């Protein structure tokens, strides 16, 4: 009988709290603008005040778990909004927050800070190419596709599975990264993943939880859970409709 591959016993996927980029994106969509108003590069975009409160609410919930259910390790995207979320959410757990660049946000390349409306206006040929290839395989000029992100996630799971064998691991990352985790861990097809993406947007500071089975496979226990936010009367924030995303 083949031995079980190493890996965490429990895996929590957390999207970062609301960022100033999320706020700017919402404003741009409401105004019908083609570009977000931000004066910092994407890795440095901070949390909004709401985002910090959301991360702290998550921290209250994690710290309130029984000792034998609390996280034992934390891994974060190095982007400021994710790293701050990770630190605030695990402040009461006495855990070191490690970063891994493979968890960074998907690179939008030339479309960074642009809305779907702006892309269709300024890059109509690229908009047509995206419609042809589909969201999963389309790569913006100089950027990444979701398939590219999947390669990062497969690499991370291979190395961090060894490091965190049998641990309860929290990973703090970004919406597209969490969706691609689902694709990899559940062995979804492109069509199945995009169907999930159409039905539900990953909320800021939400929890997606997997448990490891005896076979070594991961079983989805909860997706996009926000009860810890509503318990603290924190607002639930998420992206505009998926169809409007670049």
């Amino acid at each position: 009988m083949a031995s079980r591959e190493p890996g965490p016993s429990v895996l929590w996927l957390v999207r970062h709290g609301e960022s100033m980029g999320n706020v700017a994106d919402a404003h741009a969509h409401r105004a019908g603008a083609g570009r977000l108003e931000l004066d910092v590069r994407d890795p440095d975009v901070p949390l909004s005040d709401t985002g910090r409160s959301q991360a702290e609410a998550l921290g209250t919930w994690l710290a309130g778990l029984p000792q034998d259910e609390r996280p034992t390790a934390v891994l974060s995207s190095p982007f400021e909004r994710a790293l701050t979320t990770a630190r605030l959410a695990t402040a009461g757990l006495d855990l070191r927050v490690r970063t891994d660049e493979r968890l960074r946000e998907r690179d939008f390349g030339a479309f960074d800070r642009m809305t779907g409306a702006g892309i269709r206006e300024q890059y109509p040929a690229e908009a047509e190419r995206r419609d042809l290839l589909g969201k999963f395989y389309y790569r913006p000029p100089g950027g990444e596709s979701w398939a590219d992100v999947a390669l990062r996630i497969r690499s991370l799971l291979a190395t961090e599975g060894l490091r965190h064998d049998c641990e309860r691991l929290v990973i703090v990352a970004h919406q597209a990264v969490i969706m691609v985790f689902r694709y990899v861990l559940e062995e979804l097809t492109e069509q199945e993943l995009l169907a999930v993406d159409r039905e539900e947007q990953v909320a800021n500071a939400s929890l997606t939880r997997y448990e490891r089975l005896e076979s070594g496979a991961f079983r989805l226990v909860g997706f996009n859970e926000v009860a810890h936010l509503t318990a603290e009367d924190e607002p639930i924030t998420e992206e505009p409709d998926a169809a409007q995303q670049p």
Side-chain angles (χ1 to χ4, degrees):
M1 181 178 179
S3 60
R4 178 188 66 84
E5 291 186 4
S9 60
V10 177
L11 179 61
W12 282 286
L13 302 176
V14 176
R15 187 187 175 202
H16 62 79
E18 182 189 68
S19 71
M20 294 307 297
N22 297 143
V23 173
D25 186 48
H27 287 168
H29 277 84
R30 285 197 296 268
R35 187 174 293 274
L36 280 61
E37 294 186 8
L38 286 171
D39 57 1
V40 297
R41 63 180 190 147
D42 193 34
D44 300 328
V45 173
L47 292 179
S48 66
D49 289 342
T50 294
R52 294 183 68 89
S53 295
Q54 290 169 334
E56 289 168 351
L58 174 58
T60 297
W61 183 83
L62 289 173
L65 291 173
Q67 187 67 40
D68 62 354
E69 295 181 16
R70 294 177 189 172
T72 58
V74 189
L75 193 61
S76 175
S77 159
F79 281 25
E80 179 66 24
R81 54 194 181 272
L83 184 54
T84 301
T85 299
R87 288 172 172 164
L88 290 172
T90 61
L93 301 177
D94 192 29
L95 295 174
R96 177 193 172 200
V97 179
R98 293 176 49 245
T99 61
D100 194 303
E101 68 282 352
R102 291 171 293 185
L103 293 171
R104 69 189 185 275
E105 174 66 287
R106 179 168 73 97
D107 190 342
F108 291 98
F111 296 163
D112 185 34
R113 308 186 192 195
M114 295 187 70
T115 64
I119 293 167
R120 287 187 289 273
E121 179 181 348
Q122 296 186 37
Y123 297 92
E126 284 297 318
E128 290 181 8
R129 193 164 74 89
R130 181 191 183 280
D131 290 341
L132 175 65
L133 292 176
K135 184 173 185 176
F136 187 79
Y137 287 109
Y138 174 71
R139 180 185 293 136
E144 293 179 295
S145 67
W146 279 28
D148 293 325
V149 176
L151 298 178
R152 292 201 249 131
I153 300 310
R154 294 186 191 280
S155 169
L156 180 133
L157 287 170
T159 58
E160 296 306 312
L162 290 170
R163 182 190 290 265
H164 298 296
D165 189 32
C166 297
E167 292 204 67
R168 297 184 292 274
L169 176 63
V170 172
I171 288 179
V172 183
H174 309 265
Q175 174 171 278
V177 176
I178 290 172
M179 292 301 295
V180 173
F181 260 107
R182 289 204 59 177
Y183 170 78
V184 172
L185 292 176
E186 300 171 48
E187 299 183 348
L188 301 178
T189 64
E190 172 195 1
Q191 292 75 22
E192 289 169 337
L193 176 65
L194 295 181
V196 174
D197 183 59
R198 285 192 297 270
E199 293 167 2
E200 191 167 356
Q201 295 294 290
V202 181
N204 293 113
S206 63
L207 278 171
T208 295
R209 176 184 166 95
Y210 288 89
E211 292 181 352
R212 185 101 168 183
L213 303 176
E214 287 289 335
S215 64
F218 284 97
R219 177 173 68 92
L220 181 67
V221 177
F223 173 56
N224 198 27
E225 295 180 337
V226 294
H228 53 283
L229 299 178
T230 56
E232 299 293 325
D233 293 324
E234 293 298 333
I236 309 303
T237 55
E238 58 187 25
E239 304 296 328
D241 184 80
Q244 301 300 317
Q245 297 305 301

